[in-house]
Amino acid sequence: MMMNKMTRTVQIICSLWIFALLLAGCTPQTAGEQTEAAVSVTSQDQTRTPPTQQEEEIYWALAERLEIHRDPALDPEYGAKTTEERKALTDAYEENTFGAVMNEYNLSQSEVMAAWSKVKNYYVAMEMPLQKSKPQADPDEKTEITEDSDLNQVIKGLVEEFGAGKVELSEVLITSDDQSPDSSKAEVQLRFMDPREIKEANDGMKTISTKVVKALQDAGISKLSEIGFIWTDEPNGRVAKYQYIYSETEAAFELGEMED
């Protein structure tokens, strides 16, 4: 009789525990799942907050180490090893991956995993390809321009200088101007990677384009009759075009309509 009461009590406690989990929208998790859940960014506002430069650095530092060092648990012979052998392999793996990044940035493993999840979840939420950002340009490093400079390289340098962290340069095409034999035309194809609303993205792309053209103008470049910028606004899935035509009367580049 006493045993039946105890059994009934245990059943009631288990039922209440399961009911509480269901109310909370939870299911029992493994330690790994709990760790993943603890560091995952779940709210839409959080996932759409751009990661910092350091968080991206941490992500790629860990990604590179995970690519180099194979998880021992993936080895078919891992299960046949002794407990001590498995622990030694796992410890070495942890030290060479998470441990190396933790030491490099002086962070805990949970902080490293938080940065990892934030970067991954952000790019998924924004439906953007996860790719390594270019390092920020040195603000003191300016592109030197002379009349004899290679325009292709000069334009590339200026784009990197003014669009560091926001721009990926696809191509710079320099062609001759049939109407002005001594001049050339430039077409610059770029990708704008900075997640902004459309109006702000337009301002950003136009500002970078104008800065490049102004730098060429201030340097006294006279062998360009026009320069066109074709932007792919990656976050907004659209294309924007800006064309600057050199005016002999004004001795300056003026923004005009770019032909398709």
Side-chain angles (χ1 to χ4, degrees), residues 201-241:
N202 285 343
D203 292 340
M205 292 183 289
K206 182 179 178 180
T207 296
I208 293 171
S209 302
T210 302
K211 283 184 175 181
V212 172
V213 171
K214 188 175 186 308
L216 293 169
Q217 182 174 294
D218 290 347
I221 295 295
S222 62
K223 56 184 179 180
L224 264 183
S225 59
E226 62 184 75
I227 177 169
F229 295 84
I230 302 177
W231 291 88
T232 299
D233 179 5
E234 290 284 355
N236 294 305
R238 50 194 284 275
V239 173
K241 300 178 180 180

Side-chain angles (χ1 to χ4, degrees), residues 110-130:
S110 62
E111 289 172 322
V112 170
M113 284 302 297
W116 169 276
S117 293
K118 182 174 180 181
V119 173
K120 181 177 63 175
N121 292 335
Y122 170 75
Y123 280 89
V124 169
M126 297 300 293
E127 298 182 350
M128 293 167 58
L130 185 53

Side-chain angles (χ1 to χ4, degrees), residues 148-173:
D148 296 325
S149 295
D150 181 341
L151 283 177
N152 193 293
Q153 293 303 315
V154 165
I155 292 171
K156 287 180 180 179
L158 291 171
V159 168
E160 291 175 0
E161 183 178 315
F162 296 121
K166 305 174 183 177
V167 175
E168 284 189 7
L169 184 63
S170 299
E171 193 172 15
V172 177
L173 300 173

Side-chain angles (χ1 to χ4, degrees), residues 128-191:
M128 293 167 58
L130 185 53
Q131 51 198 358
K132 202 168 186 177
S133 299
K134 291 186 177 181
Q136 295 288 334
D138 183 351
D140 297 326
E141 184 179 342
K142 303 298 182 183
T143 303
E144 293 188 9
I145 311 171
T146 67
E147 185 66 22
D148 296 325
S149 295
D150 181 341
L151 283 177
N152 193 293
Q153 293 303 315
V154 165
I155 292 171
K156 287 180 180 179
L158 291 171
V159 168
E160 291 175 0
E161 183 178 315
F162 296 121
K166 305 174 183 177
V167 175
E168 284 189 7
L169 184 63
S170 299
E171 193 172 15
V172 177
L173 300 173
I174 306 293
T175 57
S176 60
D177 186 343
D178 296 334
Q179 296 181 347
S180 304
D182 296 332
S183 296
S184 301
K185 295 181 180 181
E187 180 181 290
V188 189
Q189 298 178 9
L190 317 98
R191 290 192 295 274

Side-chain angles (χ1 to χ4, degrees), residues 16-80:
L16 290 172
W17 179 73
I18 293 172
F19 182 66
L21 286 175
L22 290 172
L23 284 177
C26 300
T27 56
Q29 295 174 310
T30 64
E33 288 171 337
Q34 289 171 347
T35 302
E36 180 69 20
V39 298
S40 292
V41 183
T42 55
S43 78
Q44 188 165 343
D45 288 342
Q46 287 176 307
T47 56
R48 291 184 179 275
T49 301
T52 64
Q53 183 178 350
Q54 185 185 57
E55 286 170 336
E56 290 213 8
E57 288 176 1
I58 291 169
Y59 177 92
W60 289 108
L62 182 55
E64 288 170 0
R65 284 165 175 78
L66 291 174
E67 188 174 343
I68 295 171
H69 301 281
R70 180 180 174 84
D71 186 344
L74 299 177
D75 189 337
E77 298 180 2
Y78 180 77

